[in-house]
Amino acid sequence: MSNGKNLTALAVKLGMRYYEEQNLLFGRLSGYECAVREQPEKKMIMLHVIARPAAQEDMGMERLLEQLQQEYPAVMAAVYENFTASVRLSTATDEDLLQQAETLLRRITDFAKKEDYRPCCSGCGKTKDVRRFLFDGDARMLCPACRARAEADLTDQWQKKKFPHHSAFKGFIVVLVILLIGATTWIGVYTSGHSAVLVGVAMTVLSFLGYQYMAGRMKKGSVIGVLLGLLATVFLCHNLCVAFELVIAIGQQQEITITGALMFIPSFLKDPTNREVYFLQLGLSVLAVVLAAAPMLWFVHYSWHHKERLESLEEPTA
């Protein structure tokens, strides 16, 4: 099996570049883009030559690859797909694989040159404005249109990996449970004589994280639903806290229940001083929730608009 040192020597011999992190050679040989990549976990070396025939019905490359597979015992598979001649060498043999890799690449590129094959985009076969990129671990030559499609595929893969669940119902159930627990905690903290603002912050963060964990990538409707649920919970908790204060204040003179205190709030707000304190406290509670929701909303926005970019390799002049 080859190693980084041997691949580096092969790169120098072929006039290609060695990318150490990917254990990959990529460069031009006889005017054609070639790649050599070792995959130790699969015990194989992959060779790629990107070229298209002048005539679409040309089957010469397929016949050459069939011939090479018969000549070399280490060749496990050889196919010509998407304008790319790919040869898979088994590293389980005792053959000089690097020498064979060089020989195979030269055989393929010499044939392509003789038969007037052209360097091209490995996606669509376009021969102009193509560049080298690393796509999902494989080296590719891509034109702008194929690059855009490849990046869209990468973004889709990223989103599916980041948000693997897709049950909006479970997401809203989790949010509802969080809001109920948060409201109970809010009232309990307030009635014990402490500020419940931090409860609102925790409730906001947990609502967004809980929904995304159960339901996956949030859509606009789910974002609006969570925000409305948070604001409604804050408004309810605030009024219950005011009602609790009224029960204590009025209860010294006459009996009053929480329900009666809630119904008394509109009359309580007719006083300018009471109204100012009421809306100031409500505003602070809403502000705390908004500030806590801001980074959550940014993350949702990022998940909507995030774009995975292909890693650009050394770009040849077009």
Side-chain angles (χ1 to χ4, degrees):
M1 187 179 295
S2 62
N3 53 43
K5 183 178 179 180
N6 290 334
L7 288 179
T8 303
L10 181 62
V12 173
K13 195 172 183 180
L14 296 177
M16 299 167 66
R17 180 174 175 181
Y18 176 53
Y19 297 87
E20 185 175 1
E21 290 185 5
Q22 293 82 24
N23 206 23
L24 167 75
L25 306 187
F26 203 170
R28 285 201 172 199
L29 183 63
S30 300
Y32 298 95
E33 295 296 333
C34 304
V36 180
R37 186 181 184 214
E38 183 181 6
Q39 297 178 294
E41 69 282 359
K42 296 182 180 180
K43 297 183 179 181
M44 68 181 186
I45 296 177
M46 293 296 299
L47 313 178
H48 302 288
V49 179
I50 304 168
R52 63 167 296 176
Q56 187 173 0
E57 63 277 4
D58 189 333
M59 298 292 290
M61 186 65 77
E62 287 90 337
R63 289 191 290 271
L64 172 66
L65 295 176
E66 290 175 2
Q67 180 183 341
L68 294 177
Q69 190 166 1
Q70 293 175 359
E71 291 181 17
Y72 293 87
V75 176
M76 299 170 63
V79 296
Y80 183 63
E81 292 180 335
N82 299 327
F83 310 104
T84 304
S86 299
V87 179
R88 185 170 65 185
L89 287 169
S90 171
T91 59
T93 65
D94 295 326
E95 304 290 337
D96 186 350
L97 295 177
L98 293 178
Q99 181 59 48
Q100 284 198 29
E102 178 187 356
T103 302
L104 289 167
L105 286 174
R106 293 193 184 279
R107 288 276 301 271
I108 295 171
T109 54
D110 288 346
F111 172 84
K113 193 170 185 178
K114 179 182 177 181
E115 298 298 324
D116 195 28
Y117 278 59
R118 303 170 186 176
C120 65
C121 168
S122 58
C124 64
K126 183 179 178 181
T127 57
K128 294 183 179 180
D129 196 24
V130 292
R131 296 288 185 270
R132 296 174 184 166
F133 295 98
L134 192 66
F135 173 59
D136 200 19
D138 290 328
R140 303 280 185 90
M141 291 294 295
L142 299 173
C143 66
C146 290
R147 174 188 175 181
R149 285 194 290 270
E151 287 181 339
D153 290 340
L154 282 177
T155 298
D156 186 59
Q157 292 174 19
W158 177 87
Q159 291 172 343
K160 288 180 178 179
K161 183 179 179 180
K162 198 74 176 178
F163 308 102
H165 306 289
H166 303 280
S167 175
F169 177 75
K170 290 181 180 178
F172 278 113
I173 291 297
V174 168
V175 171
L176 181 61
V177 171
I178 292 172
L179 293 180
L180 289 173
I181 295 174
T184 303
T185 306
W186 185 305
I187 302 301
V189 170
Y190 184 84
T191 54
S192 64
H194 299 87
S195 174
V197 172
L198 291 180
V199 176
V201 172
M203 185 171 58
T204 302
V205 174
L206 291 175
S207 293
F208 276 94
L209 294 180
Y211 184 91
Q212 290 179 83
Y213 179 78
M214 296 302 299
R217 185 165 172 256
M218 297 185 78
K219 297 182 179 180
K220 290 183 179 179
S222 54
V223 171
I224 294 173
V226 171
L227 287 175
L228 290 177
L230 285 166
L231 293 176
T233 303
V234 169
F235 182 76
L236 175 62
C237 289
H238 180 69
N239 280 281
L240 286 173
C241 291
V242 172
F244 174 77
E245 294 287 352
L246 290 175
V247 168
I248 294 176
I250 300 176
Q252 298 175 355
Q253 302 173 356
Q254 63 183 53
E255 280 192 29
I256 184 171
T257 63
I258 288 291
T259 304
L262 286 171
M263 297 178 65
F264 181 72
I265 288 178
S267 301
F268 173 76
L269 293 180
K270 291 180 180 180
D271 183 277
T273 303
N274 294 338
R275 187 165 58 246
E276 180 180 350
V277 173
Y278 174 89
F279 284 108
L280 176 61
Q281 292 178 345
L282 178 61
L284 291 174
S285 299
V286 172
L287 179 62
V289 169
V290 170
L291 291 177
M296 298 293 103
L297 292 174
W298 177 87
F299 183 74
V300 170
H301 176 82
Y302 177 75
S303 72
W304 288 347
H305 300 284
H306 174 78
K307 296 293 182 182
E308 282 287 314
R309 297 295 179 184
L310 294 174
E311 182 179 345
S312 178
L313 302 178
E314 183 186 7
E315 298 187 350
T317 55

